[in-house]
Amino acid sequence: MMKRGRILLIVCLVACCLPTRGQAALNIFSNFDHASLATWSGNLSTIQLTGRSNYPGQTGWRWMYFETTGVSGSQPVFSINQAFAGGNAALNNHKMVYSYDNENWLFFDNNQRSGNLYTFSNSSPFVQDNVFVAYAQPYSYGRSATHTAQMLATPWAVPTSSADENGVLGQSPIAFDDLGRLVPERNLFGYRVTNPATDSPVEAKRKVMLTSGLHAGETLGTYTFEGLVNWLVSDDARAVRLRDEAEFFCYPVLNPAGRFAGTSRSTVENPNQDPNGRWHPNNWATHQDIRVSGEAMLADVVSTPGQLEVFIDFHSTIPTFLGDDFGFIEYEQGDNLADFWVELKSIQPNILDIDSTGTSWTTANFADLLLGAEVDITFETQFGKNRPISYYHDMGANFGIAFYNAWIRVDDPAGADFDEDGDVDEADLSAWQNGYGLSANATHYQGDANGDGNVDGRDFLLWQQQFTGSLDSLAAIHAVPEPCTAMLIVIGAIAFSSNRKR
């Protein structure tokens, strides 16, 4: 009887350790777009990680991104006992992120560093079986491809002169990454954001060039780029007006294979080199991805009239002595006094700048010396601030607003001058249309002419009274919301304008 009881106990213990039906076993995967991990070991209590040491010029890991399965109800402590590229002190205040849907990201509750050992965990169990984990909010190559298609589906973005109808400039070469995996060709993209109706073969628009994704693991810069472009194609009255006067050449992912393969900084084609020192035609024979983008930019910048005024390359960095997001910008040439840059720092005072004195062939030096940019900036968003994606989207929008403030906005605009460009015309009516019905906290740009926080018929009446355009332009205005009431107001406005001109 004693032996039988022991056997029964052993069977019960084994049964308790086995996964129940429908529950996945603990596993970690990193063989998908933008994922990065070398090895792992452990159990549902403790998981040891080894990052990929693929940061040119430095040993240690930098970018990390993987998926775990079978973790529902558990509270694993993840640990990395490995040097961090750039120095382990950069992890002092850093928080890793996790997501259940690979879209909405949360910061881990507990993040600690002691020497080379960095650990992170949550104070409560995971509530789902599959969890994505990353060094910071990921931005995959696929997201860049999807976002490009979304922009080209709007009326305000078209492929650059060097791109095909899908905005594709060319491809990165097929190559093996540092883990020995064959990485397929990935597309490089280019598109131009503006109002095509105001294009002219002889009259120049303000010309801006925007790039991102050169360093594959620097994702926060690409979220900032995304926020800026999203604002540029939006119905915001300021963006609408800016598109009339300016054009933005956009290159969203300069290192598509590196991002797809999950490298920290290098390209797959040249894993031991930093690509941000190779931006000269003399270096392009062995850098196909840089050559494709560089040749496209050289052709695109002269495809429309006028000089390139501003070039911005969006990056991310580990914490620096500056303490917040900043731009490398040339003081000697007075770039730090550029009107839009002064406006940006006024809108978002936490943004700093530092004198750019480098002489290597970075994207910014390429823009300065070969593209003829009047102002060239490498903009750095700092890891370690532990900010949500919305912060970077909002900061990107602030870049657009800074361009608008510097180039379009006038002082003391009329109440119905919703785009604040110095006149009251059909563009201002469009702003009122887009905002019509807002009943709280509406802004002037959304159609609030009288400052009461609402966008309603009273604001339209002010627009009618302050209208400075022609009768022909007024009569050509499209229908506005609430046709039974607002259309009558439009008809009345036409009659009012007609009587006024007699």
Side-chain angles (χ1 to χ4, degrees):
M1 292 296 293
M2 184 68 70
K3 290 184 179 180
R4 183 177 176 184
R6 289 177 180 173
I7 293 172
L8 180 60
L9 177 61
I10 292 172
V11 170
C12 290
L13 288 173
V14 171
C16 290
C17 295
L18 292 175
T20 60
R21 181 174 296 180
Q23 180 184 10
L26 171 66
N27 209 341
I28 290 182
F29 304 94
S30 59
N31 193 22
F32 56 92
D33 186 357
H34 196 32
S36 183
L37 188 69
T39 63
W40 73 277
S41 62
N43 52 46
L44 289 174
S45 297
T46 305
I47 298 176
Q48 294 84 31
L49 307 168
T50 305
R52 289 161 64 183
S53 184
N54 59 7
Y55 192 98
Q58 298 180 19
T59 58
W61 67 280
R62 175 72 72 87
W63 177 246
M64 187 175 289
Y65 175 30
F66 55 87
E67 179 185 7
T68 65
T69 64
V71 295
S72 180
S74 65
Q75 290 176 254
V77 176
F78 297 90
S79 66
I80 312 163
N81 194 6
Q82 180 185 5
F84 180 77
N88 286 77
L91 294 172
N92 283 349
N93 299 306
H94 186 80
K95 293 183 179 181
M96 298 282 275
V97 298
Y98 70 98
S99 172
Y100 293 113
D101 60 5
N102 209 18
E103 181 67 27
N104 298 286
W105 294 89
L106 301 169
F107 294 99
F108 276 91
D109 298 327
N110 311 303
N111 299 265
Q112 296 178 333
R113 172 244 164 181
S114 177
N116 282 354
L117 182 63
Y118 176 73
T119 62
F120 56 99
S121 63
N122 277 330
S123 298
S124 57
F126 289 125
V127 297
Q128 294 185 28
D129 240 14
N130 289 40
V131 179
F132 294 88
V133 177
Y135 168 70
Q137 297 93 328
Y139 197 111
S140 67
Y141 160 79
R143 180 167 180 144
S144 287
T146 298
H147 187 255
T148 295
Q150 291 170 344
M151 295 303 98
L152 292 175
T154 73
W156 317 119
V158 295
T160 66
S161 63
S162 298
D164 66 16
E165 65 274 11
N166 296 313
V168 176
L169 302 169
Q171 288 77 35
S172 60
I174 298 174
F176 289 93
D177 69 6
D178 55 296
L179 296 179
R181 302 175 303 182
L182 185 65
V183 180
E185 294 177 334
R186 301 289 88 181
N187 291 332
L188 294 124
F189 301 100
Y191 55 90
R192 173 176 171 263
V193 175
T194 192
N195 179 5
T198 59
D199 284 350
S200 168
V202 293
E203 294 185 11
K205 290 184 172 182
R206 315 295 292 256
K207 188 177 297 188
V208 180
M209 189 171 286
L210 308 170
T211 65
S212 187
L214 179 61
H215 290 152
E218 298 180 7
T219 58
L220 305 181
T222 307
Y223 279 111
T224 308
F225 170 97
E226 181 181 87
L228 170 52
V229 177
N230 286 347
W231 185 87
L232 290 173
V233 302
S234 73
D235 290 334
D236 188 301
R238 295 164 290 185
V240 173
R241 189 65 184 84
L242 183 61
R243 292 195 296 261
D244 289 340
E245 303 288 340
E247 56 184 351
F248 296 82
F249 292 83
C250 305
Y251 306 87
V253 54
L254 298 181
N255 182 5
R259 179 147 294 182
F260 182 84
T263 68
S264 292
R265 192 177 181 95
S266 62
T267 64
V268 177
E269 183 181 15
N270 294 278
N272 298 316
Q273 294 180 345
D274 184 340
N276 208 16
R278 309 290 167 175
W279 282 79
H280 188 281
N282 292 344
N283 298 318
W284 293 350
T286 56
H287 291 80
Q288 177 178 317
D289 39 11
I290 298 177
R291 175 182 59 78
V292 168
S293 293
E295 290 179 348
M297 293 176 190
L298 288 168
D300 293 341
V301 76
V302 296
S303 64
T304 60
Q307 183 178 359
L308 179 61
E309 289 194 47
V310 179
F311 174 92
I312 308 174
D313 189 14
F314 290 94
H315 286 250
S316 306
T317 186
I318 59 176
T320 71
F321 67 92
L322 285 179
D324 217 321
D325 301 329
F326 66 95
F328 284 113
I329 189 166
E330 294 185 83
Y331 288 5
E332 183 179 354
Q333 297 180 7
D335 290 3
N336 58 311
L337 302 178
D339 50 7
F340 94 91
W341 185 251
V342 173
E343 283 288 343
L344 176 63
K345 294 200 297 180
S346 174
I347 297 168
Q348 191 153 352
N350 69 296
I351 290 178
L352 308 170
D353 54 43
I354 184 172
D355 190 10
S356 175
T357 57
T359 57
S360 64
W361 282 101
T362 63
T363 54
N365 285 339
F366 168 72
D368 181 18
L369 300 175
L370 295 183
L371 297 179
E374 295 179 3
V375 176
D376 52 277
I377 302 170
T378 301
F379 190 75
E380 300 281 1
T381 47
Q382 293 210 35
F383 294 116
K385 287 296 179 180
N386 309 317
R387 289 162 167 157
I389 292 172
S390 60
Y391 167 84
Y392 302 99
H393 280 165
D394 291 345
M395 182 164 60
N398 284 340
F399 271 85
I401 294 169
F403 284 118
Y404 162 83
N405 287 351
W407 295 349
I408 306 294
R409 187 186 63 184
V410 299
D411 294 331
D412 301 319
D417 182 9
F418 302 126
D419 59 15
E420 299 186 352
D421 66 345
D423 55 27
V424 178
D425 55 16
E426 55 267 32
D428 300 299
L429 179 60
S430 294
W432 177 83
Q433 287 178 257
N434 291 330
Y436 180 74
L438 293 175
S439 57
N441 302 317
T443 67
H444 185 229
Y445 303 111
Q446 292 173 311
D448 179 16
N450 58 10
D452 65 355
N454 303 320
V455 180
D456 52 26
R458 287 182 289 271
D459 302 303
F460 182 89
L461 289 175
L462 282 174
W463 174 86
Q464 171 188 312
Q465 294 164 8
Q466 297 174 3
F467 180 72
T468 58
S470 68
L471 178 61
D472 290 340
S473 64
L474 183 61
I477 293 172
H478 296 294
V480 296
E482 298 290 332
C484 292
T485 55
M487 182 56 71
L488 293 176
I489 298 176
V490 172
I491 294 171
I494 296 174
F496 172 87
S497 179
S498 179
N499 290 331
R500 187 178 63 177
K501 292 177 180 294
R502 289 178 181 173

